[in-house]
Amino acid sequence: MKQVFDVTTTSRKMISTFLENYSLAQLNTIPPGFNNNLIWNIGHIIVSQQILVYKLSGLPLLVSNELVEKYMKGTRPETDASQAEVDEIKHLLTYTLQQTQVDFEQNLFQNYTSYTTSTGGHVLNNALDAMAFSNFHEGLHIGCMLMIRKFI
């Protein structure tokens, strides 16, 4: 379990550099040929981890329903994110990881509804499987973000 959280911590540190190094306008820019922007990818990473780990465990999410509706799978940026929303996402990037780790240490994840991912058809049978898959998912979106940054 420690390894899974070490990888997530590294991923989240990489992601946070985008929030530190790009302006609000750049975070919201959708380059030609892309369906989304940097801030959508970051919000999507957070929301996806919450759905895969918490929702499928039958536990309340650490993020708002509004964020879920805006950044869940199948969405795309409809409006620009405000600075307040970017600040919230920046906070959630760290907070959700820290709280998830605490919740794992406290054995909060007792139940899980198995889920087959649309990326690769992986079957997630428990919350630890979900965290491991979430790391893979974050890596895919970091790759997208690295491509987007070349065009903004």
Side-chain angles (χ1 to χ4, degrees):
M1 183 170 74
K2 181 184 180 322
Q3 175 67 16
V4 169
F5 281 99
D6 287 349
V7 170
T8 312
T9 299
T10 299
S11 171
R12 298 291 174 100
K13 285 179 182 175
M14 285 182 69
I15 295 164
S16 70
T17 64
F18 286 90
L19 294 170
E20 294 164 8
N21 296 322
Y22 292 90
S23 69
L24 181 61
Q26 289 173 313
L27 291 170
N28 280 303
T29 298
I30 302 173
F34 289 83
N35 293 325
N36 51 51
N37 53 32
L38 292 174
I39 196 62
W40 183 90
N41 277 278
I42 299 168
H44 175 71
I45 285 167
I46 294 165
V47 164
S48 295
Q49 182 264 339
Q50 287 291 293
I51 290 170
L52 291 173
V53 177
Y54 283 83
K55 184 176 182 180
L56 292 173
S57 293
L59 298 171
L61 305 184
L62 304 173
V63 299
S64 70
N65 289 335
E66 292 78 21
L67 233 56
V68 171
E69 289 175 14
K70 188 169 182 178
Y71 294 102
M72 69 183 184
K73 179 181 171 182
T75 63
R76 59 184 299 179
E78 299 295 332
T79 60
D80 283 354
S82 67
Q83 186 60 54
E85 187 174 337
V86 170
D87 293 344
E88 178 185 12
I89 288 170
K90 185 174 184 177
H91 165 73
L92 290 170
L93 190 63
T94 304
Y95 168 71
T96 55
L97 176 58
Q98 290 170 341
Q99 188 59 51
T100 301
Q101 192 161 9
V102 167
D103 291 345
F104 264 95
E105 290 166 0
Q106 294 178 349
N107 294 314
L108 210 63
F109 303 100
Q110 295 299 310
N111 301 307
Y112 196 82
T113 301
S114 291
Y115 176 76
T116 303
T117 68
S118 58
T119 308
H122 300 283
V123 178
L124 309 179
N125 292 308
N126 55 55
L128 189 56
D129 287 354
M131 278 302 299
F133 178 79
S134 186
N135 284 340
F136 166 74
H137 179 256
E138 289 190 20
L140 291 175
H141 283 277
I142 289 171
C144 293
M145 292 166 65
L146 292 171
M147 292 295 296
I148 289 170
R149 76 176 183 178
K150 292 181 178 190
F151 299 100
I152 57 172

